[in-house]
Amino acid sequence: METINQVITLIIGLAGLISAAVSAFFAIRNFVKALKEKSLKDVWNMIMELADAAMKEAEASQLKGEDKKQMVINAVKAGCKSAGLDIDMFIDQLGAYIDQTIGFVNDMKNK
């Protein structure tokens, strides 16, 4: 009986994760389409907005730590790729932005 409950919990968690990933993907894709005519500064600002939306979706998932971060990075990459935008030059900056944002949120929760 306990194994069945664990399997059901796992299935529910995976369904939530898939739903969050699909939602983040479509939101990111729509944002990125608007980026094609922007300067690098504008592109970075839009990437931060996309990352913020993806982080909110990741928080709703059952993932922890680095898995959440990777989910956000993958969602931003997928959205940018589908819009024909290469963000390779922003990947390190994106990872640092995610770490800083999560650190700030965690510090605020602890106060």
Side-chain angles (χ1 to χ4, degrees):
M1 190 65 160
E2 184 176 321
T3 304
I4 293 172
N5 286 338
Q6 291 174 345
V7 170
I8 291 171
T9 301
L10 178 62
I11 291 171
I12 291 170
L14 288 174
L17 175 62
I18 291 169
S19 172
V22 168
S23 297
F25 172 77
F26 285 113
I28 288 171
R29 189 180 73 185
N30 290 335
F31 279 126
V32 172
K33 285 182 181 180
L35 293 178
K36 288 187 177 182
E37 301 296 321
K38 305 286 184 182
S39 71
L40 288 179
K41 181 180 178 184
D42 292 334
V43 170
W44 173 244
N45 287 334
M46 293 297 285
I47 289 172
M48 287 190 303
E49 288 180 31
L50 296 173
D52 290 342
M55 282 187 274
K56 287 178 186 174
E57 294 293 330
E59 279 299 311
S61 74
Q62 298 288 328
L63 296 176
K64 301 284 183 204
E66 285 298 314
D67 292 331
K68 281 186 185 180
K69 181 179 179 181
Q70 193 59 50
M71 178 186 166
V72 172
I73 291 171
N74 290 342
V76 172
K77 279 183 173 180
C80 291
K81 183 177 180 180
S82 72
L85 184 64
D86 182 18
I87 63 162
D88 288 339
M89 70 173 88
F90 293 107
I91 294 300
D92 291 336
Q93 194 173 354
L94 175 61
Y97 175 73
I98 293 167
D99 291 338
Q100 289 172 352
T101 303
I102 297 302
F104 175 78
V105 170
N106 288 340
D107 286 345
M108 293 305 290
K109 285 181 182 179
N110 291 333
K111 291 185 178 193

